[in-house]
Amino acid sequence: MPDLSFLVEGAEPIPFSTTPMLGIRLAIQNRPPQEEIRSINLQCQIRIEPARRTYTGEEQKRLLDLFGEPERWSRTLHSMLWTQAAVLVPPFQGVSLVELPVACTFDLTVATAKYFNGLEEGSVSLTLLFSGSVFYNTEEGDLQVVQIPWTQEAAYALPVSVWKRLMDAYYPNTAWLGLRRDVFERLHRYKTEHGIPTWEETLESMLP
Protein backbone atom coordinates (compact mmCIF):
# COMPACT_ATOMS: atom_id res chain seq x y z
CA MET A 1 0.00 0.00 0.00
CA PRO A 2 1.38 3.47 -0.91
CA ASP A 3 2.94 5.58 1.83
CA LEU A 4 3.25 9.09 0.40
CA SER A 5 5.10 12.16 1.63
CA PHE A 6 5.02 15.67 0.14
CA LEU A 7 7.68 18.38 -0.08
CA VAL A 8 7.40 21.84 -1.66
CA GLU A 9 10.56 22.63 -3.63
CA GLY A 10 9.63 26.12 -4.84
CA ALA A 11 7.14 28.29 -6.68
CA GLU A 12 7.25 30.41 -9.83
CA PRO A 13 4.73 32.31 -11.96
CA ILE A 14 3.34 30.18 -14.80
CA PRO A 15 4.00 32.15 -18.02
CA PHE A 16 1.43 32.76 -20.76
CA SER A 17 -1.64 31.83 -18.69
CA THR A 18 -4.93 33.56 -19.45
CA THR A 19 -5.17 34.52 -15.75
CA PRO A 20 -2.46 34.87 -13.08
CA MET A 21 -1.28 31.37 -12.13
CA LEU A 22 1.38 30.34 -9.66
CA GLY A 23 3.13 27.00 -10.14
CA ILE A 24 4.07 25.27 -6.86
CA ARG A 25 6.66 22.53 -7.42
CA LEU A 26 5.88 19.40 -5.43
CA ALA A 27 8.09 16.40 -4.79
CA ILE A 28 5.93 13.36 -4.03
CA GLN A 29 7.75 10.36 -2.59
CA ASN A 30 6.26 6.89 -2.21
CA ARG A 31 7.37 3.98 -0.09
CA PRO A 32 8.08 1.24 -1.05
CA PRO A 33 9.92 2.91 -3.98
CA GLN A 34 9.42 -0.04 -6.33
CA GLU A 35 5.63 0.14 -6.03
CA GLU A 36 3.98 1.35 -9.23
CA ILE A 37 1.71 4.35 -8.80
CA ARG A 38 -0.67 4.53 -11.76
CA SER A 39 -1.97 8.03 -10.99
CA ILE A 40 -2.96 10.38 -8.18
CA ASN A 41 -6.01 12.62 -8.27
CA LEU A 42 -4.41 15.17 -5.94
CA GLN A 43 -6.44 17.84 -4.15
CA CYS A 44 -4.80 20.57 -2.09
CA GLN A 45 -6.16 23.16 0.32
CA ILE A 46 -3.71 26.03 0.78
CA ARG A 47 -3.87 28.13 3.93
CA ILE A 48 -2.01 31.31 4.93
CA GLU A 49 -0.51 31.41 8.43
CA PRO A 50 -0.12 35.15 9.17
CA ALA A 51 1.03 34.63 12.78
CA ARG A 52 4.23 32.90 11.63
CA ARG A 53 6.04 36.07 10.54
CA THR A 54 6.85 39.56 11.80
CA TYR A 55 5.65 42.81 10.23
CA THR A 56 7.23 46.21 9.66
CA GLY A 57 5.50 49.38 10.81
CA GLU A 58 4.42 50.16 7.24
CA GLU A 59 3.02 46.64 6.78
CA GLN A 60 1.05 47.02 10.01
CA LYS A 61 -0.55 50.20 8.64
CA ARG A 62 -1.44 48.54 5.32
CA LEU A 63 -3.02 45.56 7.10
CA LEU A 64 -5.01 47.65 9.54
CA ASP A 65 -8.41 47.06 7.89
CA LEU A 66 -7.69 43.31 7.73
CA PHE A 67 -6.47 42.60 11.28
CA GLY A 68 -7.23 45.78 13.22
CA GLU A 69 -4.81 47.59 15.52
CA PRO A 70 -1.49 45.74 16.09
CA GLU A 71 -2.30 45.53 19.80
CA ARG A 72 -5.11 43.10 18.88
CA TRP A 73 -3.06 40.93 16.52
CA SER A 74 -2.51 38.23 19.12
CA ARG A 75 -6.26 37.56 18.75
CA THR A 76 -6.90 38.45 15.10
CA LEU A 77 -4.02 36.77 13.23
CA HIS A 78 -5.74 33.48 12.44
CA SER A 79 -5.08 30.94 9.70
CA MET A 80 -6.82 31.97 6.43
CA LEU A 81 -7.99 29.79 3.58
CA TRP A 82 -6.22 31.04 0.45
CA THR A 83 -7.43 28.66 -2.25
CA GLN A 84 -8.09 25.11 -3.43
CA ALA A 85 -5.96 23.53 -6.15
CA ALA A 86 -5.80 20.19 -7.94
CA VAL A 87 -3.51 18.27 -10.29
CA LEU A 88 -3.51 14.83 -11.88
CA VAL A 89 -0.18 13.13 -11.11
CA PRO A 90 0.97 10.76 -13.90
CA PRO A 91 2.42 7.24 -13.31
CA PHE A 92 5.67 6.99 -11.34
CA GLN A 93 7.78 4.87 -9.04
CA GLY A 94 9.73 6.26 -6.10
CA VAL A 95 9.58 10.05 -6.55
CA SER A 96 7.49 12.27 -8.83
CA LEU A 97 8.01 16.00 -9.44
CA VAL A 98 4.81 17.84 -10.40
CA GLU A 99 3.65 21.43 -10.74
CA LEU A 100 0.53 22.35 -8.80
CA PRO A 101 -1.21 25.25 -10.60
CA VAL A 102 -2.67 27.85 -8.24
CA ALA A 103 -5.02 30.54 -9.54
CA CYS A 104 -4.37 33.98 -8.02
CA THR A 105 -6.44 37.15 -7.84
CA PHE A 106 -5.59 40.83 -7.45
CA ASP A 107 -9.11 41.78 -6.40
CA LEU A 108 -8.40 43.87 -3.32
CA THR A 109 -11.85 43.19 -1.87
CA VAL A 110 -10.63 39.62 -1.24
CA ALA A 111 -8.95 39.20 2.16
CA THR A 112 -6.03 37.09 0.93
CA ALA A 113 -5.26 39.55 -1.89
CA LYS A 114 -5.31 42.36 0.67
CA TYR A 115 -2.86 40.40 2.76
CA PHE A 116 -0.39 39.77 -0.07
CA ASN A 117 -0.67 43.38 -1.23
CA GLY A 118 0.02 44.65 2.29
CA LEU A 119 3.43 42.96 2.52
CA GLU A 120 6.66 44.62 1.45
CA GLU A 121 9.19 41.80 1.64
CA GLY A 122 10.01 38.51 3.33
CA SER A 123 7.78 35.48 2.84
CA VAL A 124 4.26 34.21 3.40
CA SER A 125 3.95 31.08 5.53
CA LEU A 126 1.73 28.53 3.80
CA THR A 127 0.29 25.22 4.92
CA LEU A 128 -0.68 22.79 2.14
CA LEU A 129 -3.24 20.16 3.16
CA PHE A 130 -3.45 17.21 0.76
CA SER A 131 -6.26 14.80 -0.05
CA GLY A 132 -7.41 12.76 -3.03
CA SER A 133 -7.21 9.26 -4.51
CA VAL A 134 -4.14 7.13 -5.24
CA PHE A 135 -4.38 4.44 -7.92
CA TYR A 136 -1.65 1.79 -7.73
CA ASN A 137 -0.74 -1.75 -8.78
CA THR A 138 -0.32 -4.52 -6.21
CA GLU A 139 2.51 -7.05 -6.50
CA GLU A 140 0.02 -9.33 -8.25
CA GLY A 141 -0.72 -6.61 -10.82
CA ASP A 142 -4.20 -5.75 -9.55
CA LEU A 143 -5.33 -2.14 -9.71
CA GLN A 144 -6.25 -0.72 -6.30
CA VAL A 145 -7.27 2.70 -4.99
CA VAL A 146 -6.74 4.31 -1.57
CA GLN A 147 -7.46 7.75 -0.17
CA ILE A 148 -4.73 10.15 0.89
CA PRO A 149 -5.00 10.65 4.68
CA TRP A 150 -6.00 14.12 5.87
CA THR A 151 -2.84 14.14 7.99
CA GLN A 152 -0.72 14.68 4.86
CA GLU A 153 0.50 18.27 4.72
CA ALA A 154 3.53 20.39 3.88
CA ALA A 155 4.76 23.84 4.90
CA TYR A 156 6.27 26.39 2.54
CA ALA A 157 7.53 29.98 2.86
CA LEU A 158 6.40 31.69 -0.35
CA PRO A 159 8.61 34.70 -1.12
CA VAL A 160 6.57 37.90 -1.34
CA SER A 161 8.71 38.85 -4.35
CA VAL A 162 7.31 35.88 -6.32
CA TRP A 163 3.72 37.02 -5.78
CA LYS A 164 4.59 40.63 -6.67
CA ARG A 165 6.41 39.47 -9.82
CA LEU A 166 3.33 37.50 -10.85
CA MET A 167 0.98 40.46 -10.39
CA ASP A 168 3.36 42.91 -12.08
CA ALA A 169 3.44 40.63 -15.12
CA TYR A 170 -0.36 40.68 -15.49
CA TYR A 171 -1.28 44.06 -13.99
CA PRO A 172 1.72 46.41 -14.33
CA ASN A 173 1.22 49.52 -12.20
CA THR A 174 -2.43 48.52 -11.72
CA ALA A 175 -4.67 47.49 -8.82
CA TRP A 176 -8.18 46.01 -9.04
CA LEU A 177 -11.03 47.10 -6.81
CA GLY A 178 -14.51 45.59 -6.98
CA LEU A 179 -17.49 47.91 -6.40
CA ARG A 180 -21.17 47.35 -5.73
CA ARG A 181 -23.12 47.94 -8.93
CA ASP A 182 -25.08 50.90 -7.53
CA VAL A 183 -21.84 52.57 -6.37
CA PHE A 184 -20.30 52.01 -9.80
CA GLU A 185 -23.35 53.57 -11.49
CA ARG A 186 -23.05 56.68 -9.30
CA LEU A 187 -19.33 56.92 -10.04
CA HIS A 188 -19.95 56.45 -13.76
CA ARG A 189 -22.61 59.19 -13.70
CA TYR A 190 -20.19 61.53 -11.94
CA LYS A 191 -17.50 60.77 -14.52
CA THR A 192 -19.87 61.41 -17.43
CA GLU A 193 -21.45 64.58 -16.04
CA HIS A 194 -18.04 66.15 -15.40
CA GLY A 195 -16.58 65.05 -18.75
CA ILE A 196 -13.65 63.25 -17.10
CA PRO A 197 -11.88 60.94 -19.60
CA THR A 198 -10.36 58.27 -17.30
CA TRP A 199 -11.26 56.46 -14.10
CA GLU A 200 -7.97 57.51 -12.49
CA GLU A 201 -8.77 61.20 -13.07
CA THR A 202 -12.31 60.63 -11.79
CA LEU A 203 -11.06 59.26 -8.49
CA GLU A 204 -8.30 61.86 -8.22
CA SER A 205 -10.90 64.62 -8.61
CA MET A 206 -12.76 63.24 -5.58
CA LEU A 207 -9.73 62.72 -3.35
CA PRO A 208 -8.33 65.50 -1.14
Side-chain angles (χ1 to χ4, degrees), residues 18-108:
T18 55
T19 58
M21 298 287 288
L22 188 69
I24 296 181
R25 297 191 302 276
L26 292 177
I28 306 173
Q29 184 175 17
N30 181 49
R31 299 181 183 86
Q34 69 275 11
E35 188 171 51
E36 183 180 359
I37 301 296
R38 296 290 295 275
S39 67
I40 303 175
N41 182 13
L42 185 63
Q43 311 290 324
C44 182
Q45 180 186 113
I46 306 177
R47 304 191 67 87
I48 296 173
E49 310 292 348
R52 294 182 182 173
R53 59 161 286 162
T54 58
Y55 300 87
T56 66
E58 181 60 30
E59 288 173 336
Q60 291 176 357
K61 293 177 183 177
R62 297 176 69 171
L63 296 171
L64 187 65
D65 65 337
L66 193 59
F67 300 125
E69 296 291 341
E71 293 77 15
R72 299 178 53 229
W73 282 19
S74 61
R75 302 188 302 274
T76 59
L77 262 65
H78 299 302
S79 175
M80 296 188 295
L81 173 63
W82 178 18
T83 189
Q84 305 274 0
V87 66
L88 184 62
V89 181
F92 73 94
Q93 289 178 296
V95 178
S96 177
L97 302 177
V98 297
E99 183 177 68
L100 179 69
V102 178
C104 302
T105 180
F106 202 26
D107 182 351
L108 296 181

Side-chain angles (χ1 to χ4, degrees), residues 90-167:
F92 73 94
Q93 289 178 296
V95 178
S96 177
L97 302 177
V98 297
E99 183 177 68
L100 179 69
V102 178
C104 302
T105 180
F106 202 26
D107 182 351
L108 296 181
T109 62
V110 178
T112 52
K114 280 185 183 180
Y115 179 75
F116 278 110
N117 189 60
L119 302 179
E120 297 179 310
E121 56 186 16
S123 61
V124 177
S125 295
L126 302 178
T127 299
L128 288 77
L129 306 173
F130 299 102
S131 61
S133 302
V134 183
F135 299 85
Y136 70 100
N137 283 342
T138 65
E139 293 181 356
E140 294 75 23
D142 298 326
L143 180 63
Q144 299 289 323
V145 58
V146 294
Q147 298 298 309
I148 297 174
W150 280 99
T151 54
Q152 288 287 2
E153 61 181 62
Y156 178 60
L158 173 67
V160 173
S161 59
V162 172
W163 188 85
K164 290 183 180 293
R165 184 152 43 91
L166 173 64
M167 292 306 161

Side-chain angles (χ1 to χ4, degrees), residues 162-203:
V162 172
W163 188 85
K164 290 183 180 293
R165 184 152 43 91
L166 173 64
M167 292 306 161
D168 286 343
Y170 283 85
Y171 309 117
N173 196 30
T174 304
W176 290 101
L177 183 63
L179 299 175
R180 276 200 338 261
R181 189 169 297 171
D182 62 313
V183 175
F184 171 78
E185 293 297 338
R186 289 167 57 197
L187 187 62
H188 183 266
R189 191 180 311 119
Y190 175 89
K191 176 178 179 292
T192 303
E193 290 174 352
H194 290 77
I196 304 175
T198 68
W199 291 110
E200 286 84 0
E201 291 175 284
T202 301
L203 293 174

